[in-house]
Each structure stands twice: as structure tokens, then as C-alpha cells.
Amino acid sequence: MKLADKVAVITGAGSGIGYEMSTLFAREGATIMGADVDADGLATTAAAVEEIGRPMRTFIADVTDPTAVEHLMAETMEAFGSIDILCNNAGIGHVGSVLEVTPEEWDRVMAVNVRGVWLGCKYAVPYMLAQGGGIIVNTASVAGQVGLPKRAVYSASKGAVIALTKQVAIEYVADNIRVNCVCPGTVETPWVQRLLAIEDDPAAAMENLRLRQPMGRLGQPDEVAKAALYLASDAAEFITGTELVIDGGLTAR
């Protein structure tokens, strides 16, 4: 198993990509600490991990709250004795141009998507330094690499995640801490479904998203989880500070 005896902290573990990361990492031998604001979603993920036969603890945490994130990492150490892998996966979406996004929406998206990644690193890295190394996988997006219509604050937030990934990777490369990010294209997650629901014509909006990928379909959460697994495994031991794109060819155009 690729992650035998590893402890993985996964934020946003209650649904979508976080659910798939949790179950896939468990099948590969990891012990999971899952965090989310959604208690019911976390319970569903924990039940699936337990069916696989691996231990999982859950922690209700808003990743924008420094105290909550600090306690998440401390509780992981108390329960399992190490933090070998951190997946800063929690994130939210937003549809709107720079003219349409409100200051409150801008601040909220940046808080969850960027501040949440920073806080995860801030409170996990000291433990990784003390134990002699670790691996961080951040969830960014191709929206942080190329311009996409109606994604002003989302693109800004994910571009910041990519930049922060590179900076933290270089900061701690000599300390045996590898830091990378995955950059999905459009993935069929609960967040995408919520964003579609507010469109005037959800079916047409879904078709536009589908056609945006040259492969002609949306990505699936488990496909992103498989990319994260690669970056978290020894197969990627010479990789740090980079983005792994999973986008059905969107950025190849």
C-alpha cells in the first residue's frame, strides 16, 4: 500500500474531492483525520473509511479560524502521534466578474480558499519539522492558471494557493517537507451543483461546463484524489513546488 502507516489530515473531508481523498488514502493504508464544517458529511465519510477497515477521526473545523485549525493539528498529534500528510482541500466556489462580486463575497472566498491553506500549513509544519519531514498537498485549480469567465475571486484565490504552494515548498525543501498542489479543471462536486442551481438555465450552464473540457466531460472527484495520492506517495519523492493539472485538456488549448 502506498500510504501504509501514514497519518493524513484532510480538510473538506465531508464531501466531493475530500471524501474521495479520505477513502482512497484509507485504502492505501493511511489513518485519516478528517475536518469539515459539515458534521453529517464527515459522518458519512467516516463510515465509508471504517468499512474499508482503517481508523478515522473527525473534527468540526472552519479552516478560516486559527484556533480551530491549531486544535485540529494538536488533536491529530495527540490521537495518532504524527502528521505525515496534510491535504489542504477545503474550498468554496463563486460565480461572478470583478463588477459582480461583492466585497463580502470576495473576503469569504479568499478566507476559505487562501487563509485556510495558510493556516493549515502554519499549524502543521511545526510538527513536520519536529518529526523530520512531511508532505502537503493543496487543492488549487486551473482557474488559478488561466482566465475563466465569471470566476474573478475564485481565480484570484486559486492563483494565490499556487503561489503559496511554491513559496512553502522552497522554504522547507531542506527540511524534508514536500509541498505541491493539484489543479483540477471543472469537477462534478457538490459545490458545482450548488453554483449551477443559481443559474437561470442550469442545464445550459452544465452543458457549457462540459464542453469547456476538450475531453467533453466534467472531471470526477476520485480522479483528483488519485492525483493527490500520487503527490502524497513515495512515487513523487523528487517533486516539490509544482502543480499537477487534472483538467481534461482545458489548459492545453
Side-chain angles (χ1 to χ4, degrees), residues 4-16:
D5 302 320
K6 302 294 186 183
V7 176
V9 177
I10 300 173
T11 68
S15 65

Side-chain angles (χ1 to χ4, degrees), residues 82-118:
S82 68
I83 299 174
D84 302 299
I85 301 162
L86 167 63
C87 292
N88 285 310
N89 170 70
I92 58 176
H94 183 271
V95 175
S97 68
V98 292
L99 303 183
E100 295 164 333
V101 61
T102 67
E104 294 77 16
E105 290 168 336
W106 181 278
D107 290 345
R108 179 59 181 163
V109 174
M110 293 297 284
V112 176
N113 292 1
V114 186
R115 179 182 170 95
V117 172
W118 162 59

Side-chain angles (χ1 to χ4, degrees), residues 199-220:
E199 295 284 344
D200 293 335
D201 187 342
M206 179 64 164
E207 183 67 2
N208 288 335
L209 291 180
R210 183 184 71 79
L211 294 175
R212 193 163 68 183
Q213 279 74 222
M215 283 189 178
R217 67 174 178 87
L218 272 62
Q220 296 301 310

